[in-house]
Amino acid sequence: MADLVFPFQNEALWVAFLFINFFTIIALYRIMGKTGLFVWIPISVIIANIQVLKTVHIFGLAATLGNIVYATSFLVTDILSENHGKEEAKKAVWVGFFAVLVMTLFMNIALWFIPAPSDFAQGALATVFLVMPRVAGASLVAYILSQRHDVWAYSFWRSRFPEDRHIWIRNNLSTMVSQLIDSVIFVLIAFWGIYDIRVLIEILITTYLFKWLVAVADTPFIYWAKRIRERYL
């Protein structure tokens, strides 16, 4: 299946994966309430830190995977800020932080075990997780700074645009600045010296661009989450 190639395959998968993420978040929220949102945070940051190691071309630009699932963590903290308060959003940020920290530590400890002669996974795991400390370090710094800003900024813009019809303003203004902070910090720490400067700049631009597109596309879903909160939770 992985060998099949179709015209615009990456672009089609990117759009489909975007909405799969959004609908999964809404389903978790509808079924589990805010607990579902707390479940999604470690899922998103762990998957993003693994997917980011793969570079692809989307819409003719070099980009790392992981942008979609990582960007949805901002949607989740915005939903928490909107529906359950700033303190719940802060808790979610720390859940994500410790999820990446523990995953990186435990997977690197796993590599220290001497594999059995029948083992087939050690090489593949080493390829991914020996790189992970640098990527995870970049992710942790970028994540905690950008998410803390996002929670603060959402509250800031909510105080100035308090009506429900202005949710889209506070959602987008907080997320787009936060994702710029995240993209710059992460790309420079994770990939400086790995890619040449041209590729590095292209990855930085595409990383932010794709996260920006996710932020725009997630706006209807934060309104949907608001209705779920009012009707069912």
Side-chain angles (χ1 to χ4, degrees), residues 47-55 64-67 135 186 191 195:
I47 290 176
N49 274 273
I50 296 172
Q51 286 187 343
V52 76
L53 299 176
K54 182 170 181 176
T55 305
T64 58
L65 287 182
N67 292 327
V135 172
F186 176 79
F191 299 129
Y195 298 108

Side-chain angles (χ1 to χ4, degrees), residues 14 19 61-62 74 80 94 102 113 117 124 137 141 145 162 165 176-177 180 187 193 195 199-200 223 228 233:
W14 193 88
F19 287 97
L61 300 170
F74 291 88
L80 285 167
W94 285 110
V102 172
F113 285 84
V141 174
L145 292 177
R165 62 191 177 92
M176 288 176 181
V177 175
L180 178 61
V187 170
Y195 298 108
V199 175
L200 190 71
Y223 281 94
I228 289 174
L233 303 178

Side-chain angles (χ1 to χ4, degrees), residues 105-116:
L105 176 62
F106 282 19
M107 289 309 301
N108 276 271
I109 290 174
L111 293 175
W112 296 345
F113 285 84
I114 299 171

Side-chain angles (χ1 to χ4, degrees), residues 28-38 84 233:
L28 285 171
Y29 191 46
R30 176 66 182 84
I31 296 168
M32 302 174 65
K34 72 177 180 181
T35 300
L37 301 180
F38 277 89
H84 302 282
L233 303 178

Side-chain angles (χ1 to χ4, degrees), residues 22 32 59 61 66 86 95 101-102 118 130 133 143 151 154 156 163 187-188 195 217:
F22 289 157
M32 302 174 65
F59 304 111
L61 300 170
K86 183 178 179 180
V95 168
L101 186 64
V102 172
S118 59
L130 283 179
Y143 174 81
V151 172
Y154 195 94
F156 174 84
E163 298 180 12
V187 170
L188 292 180
Y195 298 108

Side-chain angles (χ1 to χ4, degrees), residues 22-95:
F22 289 157
F23 284 111
T24 301
I25 291 169
I26 291 298
L28 285 171
Y29 191 46
R30 176 66 182 84
I31 296 168
M32 302 174 65
K34 72 177 180 181
T35 300
L37 301 180
F38 277 89
V39 167
W40 183 257
I41 288 290
I43 290 173
S44 64
V45 294
I46 289 174
I47 290 176
N49 274 273
I50 296 172
Q51 286 187 343
V52 76
L53 299 176
K54 182 170 181 176
T55 305
V56 297
H57 278 89
I58 301 177
F59 304 111
L61 300 170
T64 58
L65 287 182
N67 292 327
I68 291 176
V69 68
Y70 183 80
T72 61
S73 66
F74 291 88
L75 169 62
V76 168
T77 53
D78 283 355
I79 293 173
L80 285 167
S81 292
E82 178 66 34
N83 293 350
H84 302 282
K86 183 178 179 180
E87 293 306 312
E88 294 300 310
K90 287 182 179 179
K91 290 178 186 177
V93 171
W94 285 110
V95 168

